[in-house]
Amino acid sequence: MRAIIKAAAGRGVQYVTDAPEPKAGDGTVVIDIAAASLCGTDRECYEWSPAAQAFHLDLPVVLGHEGAGTVVEVGPGVENLRVGDRVALESHLPCGQCFACRTGHAHTCERTQILGMHFDGVFAERVAVPQNICVPLPDAVSLETGALLESAGVAVHAIQRAGYSVAGQGVLISGAGPVGMVLARLASLMGAAYVIVIEPNPYRRAAAEQLGVIAMEPGEAAIERSHQLSGHRGGADVAFECSGAAAALPPLLGALRREGTIITVGHPGRPVEIDIATHINKRGITLRGIFGRRLWDTWEQTLLLLDSGRLDLDWLITHRLPLHQTNQAVDLLTGDACKVLLVPNLD
């Protein structure tokens, strides 16, 4: 079987054609992968950055945590899935027993295992996964769209974490990657007064402008524009930091009005210094973080948005590559691209 393996600590990955065929065990199913999507975390794993090392990967492991496919084998104890079912995959496998899991906060489970990090992932022709992370897809949702739901769910979770407070509000988004783009689309759909997307990449800025939002380079001009549009309110109402750039957070804090809210989505590669007295105490700004999706209300809401036709994701896809071109796919993540798919049957 063809697969992309992170075999050892260090930069790079291995493309192999002789990976062991997965087998369905107790409570697991084998999925034939139709499409797998790359994200910034995959690039971090490729580079073996400090951010990747913080996940404590169980090496060697098949990479990839955003994917969709068709069930081809069902193991003992699987109750709700059959051969032929089309599914997307939740990448987080919580323990189900800890305080967080038992009180409705499984997305913060300290013992979470992650697909493509702690057990084999979706950068392969097939993968065996627990039935608990399989999400059946509505008939109208394609498998390629299914491969986008994990990251789109991060954007939905960010909106949830902000208390849905975007209607009639000034919204700032740092980073026009796929999560930032879906956030911009959702904020517009929900009636934001204005949406400013801050992005250094000209290609992604142009893509954001196609959504009808304001796209600007990082710098004082973006902050000034937010203050101009908000008038006497004194700044944007809510901000989402999606870039993971350590330098992005302090300017966003300064661009918010008093009692505004900021949601951190991206993972900086180093600690970020925040002036607590200036922003949190004296200005009353609320700072919240998210990780992954709320299990399972984020998925339910995302699927409902798709099924209703209110949200479309296919426009995010800019490239489709075979598994053996993973190196090129990783390079595209910092180039002129949005969502890059690895499609095993292209080989």
Side-chain angles (χ1 to χ4, degrees):
M1 183 184 71
R2 292 168 291 191
I4 301 299
I5 295 177
K6 186 75 176 182
R11 188 178 187 277
V13 295
Q14 293 181 8
Y15 168 71
V16 302
T17 59
D18 59 351
E21 281 287 347
K23 301 295 182 183
D26 290 345
T28 67
V29 296
V30 174
I31 308 295
D32 186 74
I33 298 297
S37 176
L38 284 87
C39 81
T41 302
D42 296 310
R43 184 182 68 246
E44 300 292 343
C45 290
Y46 184 97
E47 298 290 348
W48 201 238
S49 69
Q53 294 174 44
F55 282 106
H56 304 291
L57 275 66
D58 187 5
L59 302 176
V61 67
V62 176
L63 292 181
H65 58 276
E66 300 180 8
T70 304
V71 177
V72 293
E73 184 183 349
V74 175
V78 174
E79 299 177 352
N80 299 317
L81 294 172
R82 299 178 180 178
V83 171
D85 284 351
R86 301 160 59 256
V87 298
L89 297 176
E90 164 60 48
S91 61
H92 292 181
L93 179 64
C95 75
Q97 301 299 319
C98 68
F99 176 80
C101 287
R102 291 169 64 86
T103 54
H105 301 288
H107 58 288
T108 63
C109 171
E110 292 185 7
R111 295 196 288 270
T112 294
Q113 292 182 297
I114 301 177
L115 179 69
M117 293 186 181
H118 307 121
F119 56 103
D120 284 340
V122 297
F123 291 173
E125 294 181 88
R126 287 165 292 281
V127 63
V129 297
Q131 63 174 333
N132 295 345
I133 66 170
C134 295
V135 181
L137 291 173
D139 292 340
V141 177
S142 73
L143 288 170
E144 282 196 349
T145 301
L148 307 178
L149 291 179
E150 198 264 11
S151 62
V154 175
V156 174
H157 186 188
I159 293 284
Q160 292 174 323
R161 188 71 168 141
Y164 299 96
S165 58
V166 295
Q169 306 288 286
V171 177
L172 280 176
I173 299 169
S174 174
V179 173
M181 294 285 275
V182 175
L183 265 168
R185 179 63 177 148
L186 288 171
S188 296
L189 284 173
M190 294 175 69
Y194 67 84
V195 179
I196 298 177
V197 176
I198 302 171
E199 169 60 48
N201 183 310
Y203 175 89
R204 291 186 170 184
R205 283 202 307 275
E209 287 176 346
Q210 294 299 310
L211 298 178
V213 303
I214 302 166
M216 302 186 70
E217 295 183 62
E220 286 299 320
I223 308 306
E224 290 173 3
R225 186 67 182 277
S226 176
H227 282 286
Q228 176 190 21
L229 291 172
S230 63
H232 70 278
R233 298 167 67 87
D237 300 283
V238 61
F240 301 91
E241 204 307 283
C242 304
S243 71
L249 187 58
L252 283 186
L253 288 167
L256 284 172
R257 64 167 173 80
R258 292 175 180 269
E259 299 293 333
T261 299
I262 184 165
I263 309 297
T264 59
V265 180
H267 302 305
R270 60 177 175 82
V272 177
E273 184 174 305
I274 297 175
D275 189 334
I276 298 294
T278 297
H279 296 299
I280 308 301
N281 293 353
K282 295 179 181 178
R283 300 181 62 232
I285 288 176
T286 298
L287 174 63
R288 292 178 169 176
I290 69 161
F291 184 49
R293 295 138 302 282
R294 287 190 58 86
L295 305 176
W296 289 90
D297 55 335
T298 296
W299 278 94
E300 293 292 343
Q301 189 158 44
T302 305
L303 288 170
L304 181 60
L305 285 166
L306 282 174
D307 210 27
S308 69
R310 296 287 290 166
L311 179 65
D312 174 45
L313 298 175
D314 292 346
W315 55 272
L316 290 167
I317 302 170
T318 57
H319 296 79
R320 297 171 178 84
L321 298 175
L323 286 172
H324 67 80
Q325 292 186 9
T326 297
N327 290 339
Q328 296 94 315
V330 170
D331 288 340
L332 282 168
L333 294 180
T334 53
D336 293 348
C338 191
K339 260 306 182 189
V340 179
L341 297 185
L342 292 177
V343 182
N345 66 16
L346 284 180
D347 282 335

